Amino acid sequence: MRKAVVWWVVVAAVMAAMQVMFAVGNLVEDDGGPLYGQLALVAVMLLGAGLIATGIARRVRRRTPASLLIAVGVLPSLLGISLVWFPPAVIYGLLALVVAYVAYRDASAERSPVEA
């Protein structure tokens, strides 16, 4: 029996790619901030992207811990909400909030909609 892919898993995968792009772009582009701050942001974003990728890979076998990994990995994307002067970043941050909520709800559900 083939399992369907849920929409928020696809969005989380796109967010993982965006986190890597944002981390590398922030490191390459000098914004005048301290280097340790840029390195810390790179570490957090890459860790989040890694958690999302691991959660997606493990979701096929065990839904609950994998959904929690995805939810935690998406949390660094919430930084976009703080960029109120750039509406696409705010929309991206709000989408991250929705994906994190749905992933936590999926992890706490007794049965997955995919398994129903």
Side-chain angles (χ1 to χ4, degrees):
M1 183 171 168
R2 190 173 152 234
K3 294 186 179 189
V5 177
V6 289
W7 67 269
W8 62 269
V9 174
V10 175
V11 173
V14 171
M15 286 187 170
M18 296 283 291
Q19 284 179 357
V20 171
M21 273 185 8
F22 181 67
V24 172
N26 188 49
L27 191 59
V28 171
E29 179 66 34
D30 186 18
D31 62 357
L35 180 61
Y36 65 85
Q38 290 177 331
L39 292 175
L41 181 67
V42 167
V44 167
M45 289 297 192
L46 292 180
L47 178 67
L51 287 174
I52 293 171
T54 304
I56 290 172
R58 295 188 68 185
R59 193 169 190 281
V60 175
R61 293 182 303 245
R62 298 189 60 204
R63 179 181 50 83
T64 299
S67 293
L68 287 175
L69 283 175
I70 294 170
V72 171
V74 167
L75 291 180
S77 294
L78 291 173
L79 293 172
I81 295 174
S82 64
L83 301 172
V84 295
W85 53 270
F86 192 56
V90 174
I91 293 168
Y92 177 74
L94 291 173
L95 185 61
L97 185 65
V98 169
V99 169
Y101 170 75
V102 174
Y104 279 121
R105 191 184 70 191
D106 182 62
S108 65
E110 233 174 272
R111 288 186 68 188
S112 172
V114 175
E115 298 169 358

